[in-house]
Amino acid sequence: MTLPSASASPVDVRGGVELPARRSDVELRTADGLTLVGELALPLDRDPVAALVTLHPLPTAGGFMDSHVIRKAAARLPALADVAVLRFNFRGVSSPRGRSEGAFGEGEAEAADLRAAVALVQGAGLPTPWLLGWSFGTEVALKHGRGVDVAGLLLLSPPLHRTTDAELAAWNDSEVPIVAVVPEHDDYLQPEEARARFAAVPRAEVVAVEGGKHLWVGEKQTSRVLDEIVRRVAPGALPLPTTWPPSEGEQGVS
């Protein structure tokens, strides 16, 4: 649901609402010669205060650039928090936007996809991006993010299946913030075990979400995730408005 102009009656920010932004289809070119498809969403009439490179869930389990948390981040955060959001399909992944070339790389070949995404953000003159990974996307961020210039890591439902303890500990050579948002009822890694695994990187913050599940289904869980993202990348935008245009007295950007 794309919104009408700001002069229209306010609507609740929930579900499939897409708030105003400058959106453009983009293509990412990887070092191994592949073209990946994506979308860059920017604030409508101002420069972004932060940027996100989003890394979607497991392609072989249906993950793609339209996976709902990533799609909603792109639909809402440019307007609500002045945050630029790049989302794209990893190699071999299709969506209504199109198909990225190549084939699934088991989290290894996707290193080149991550680098291409960060390069696009840098080439656009946007702020140094945060990596926002969800499930499989967290593995790509943790395994390969140290080699690129990023502002920090935001890890939603990290399974830590592909990421070794040595790869985690290697982040001690970096000072960027690492925030893992872990659902209480995650199917793969719950908060207590997450704290034990992330102890390899003492500065890593594990945020346990009561009642949360791996897929973050429902507006309550989605809103909590988006709040945690904005708390790190654009804290001045909190609390996020719940209507658009924002009602009188609501904080945040408009």
Side-chain angles (χ1 to χ4, degrees):
M1 172 184 172
T2 301
L3 287 184
S5 69
S7 62
S9 299
V11 299
D12 290 337
V13 178
R14 58 183 300 113
V17 165
E18 184 177 272
L19 301 181
R22 288 175 286 155
R23 296 186 168 87
S24 57
D25 290 342
V26 295
E27 292 186 345
L28 293 63
R29 190 72 173 171
T30 68
D32 56 347
L34 300 180
T35 298
L36 314 179
V37 300
E39 178 203 79
L40 179 62
L42 303 174
L44 189 63
D45 56 4
R46 65 190 86 188
D47 292 332
V49 300
L52 297 173
V53 166
T54 63
L55 307 170
H56 64 69
L58 187 65
T60 55
F64 63 152
M65 64 180 278
D66 290 333
S67 292
H68 82 97
V69 171
I70 289 174
R71 175 173 49 82
K72 290 169 184 174
R76 303 181 191 183
L77 297 188
L80 297 182
D82 282 346
V83 173
V85 181
L86 172 64
R87 59 194 178 110
F88 68 98
N89 289 326
F90 280 126
R91 57 186 57 211
V93 176
S94 297
S95 74
R97 165 68 183 90
R99 182 183 183 279
S100 290
E101 295 177 346
F104 178 55
E106 299 288 347
E108 296 298 337
E110 284 79 8
D113 303 356
L114 185 159
R115 294 189 189 102
V118 172
L120 186 145
V121 168
Q122 292 172 333
L126 300 174
T128 300
W130 287 71
L131 299 182
L132 172 63
W134 179 10
S135 193
F136 171 77
T138 69
E139 309 274 29
V140 176
L142 286 166
K143 290 171 73 67
H144 309 298
R146 286 192 308 114
V148 295
D149 184 18
V150 298
L153 273 59
L154 292 161
L155 310 172
L156 310 180
S157 307
L160 297 184
H161 284 171
R162 291 174 168 82
T163 306
T164 67
D165 289 341
E167 286 171 327
L168 280 175
W171 281 94
N172 288 307
D173 295 337
S174 168
E175 296 182 355
V176 302
I178 299 172
V179 181
V181 183
V182 182
E184 178 186 11
H185 303 300
D186 195 281
D187 299 310
Y188 306 105
L189 187 77
Q190 295 183 0
E192 183 176 355
E193 184 183 357
R195 292 188 185 98
R197 291 289 307 275
F198 278 102
V201 194
R203 76 175 183 286
E205 179 185 2
V206 175
V207 178
V209 177
E210 183 177 353
K213 296 184 179 180
H214 189 77
L215 297 180
W216 305 108
V217 174
E219 183 59 36
K220 181 178 180 180
Q221 292 194 31
T222 298
S223 296
R224 174 64 188 277
V225 168
L226 296 182
D227 283 348
E228 293 296 341
I229 293 167
V230 173
R231 195 180 316 281
R232 274 69 188 189
V233 308
L238 291 176
L240 293 178
T242 58
T243 61
W244 186 267
S247 61
E248 186 175 352
E250 280 195 307
Q251 215 171 319
V253 298
S254 60

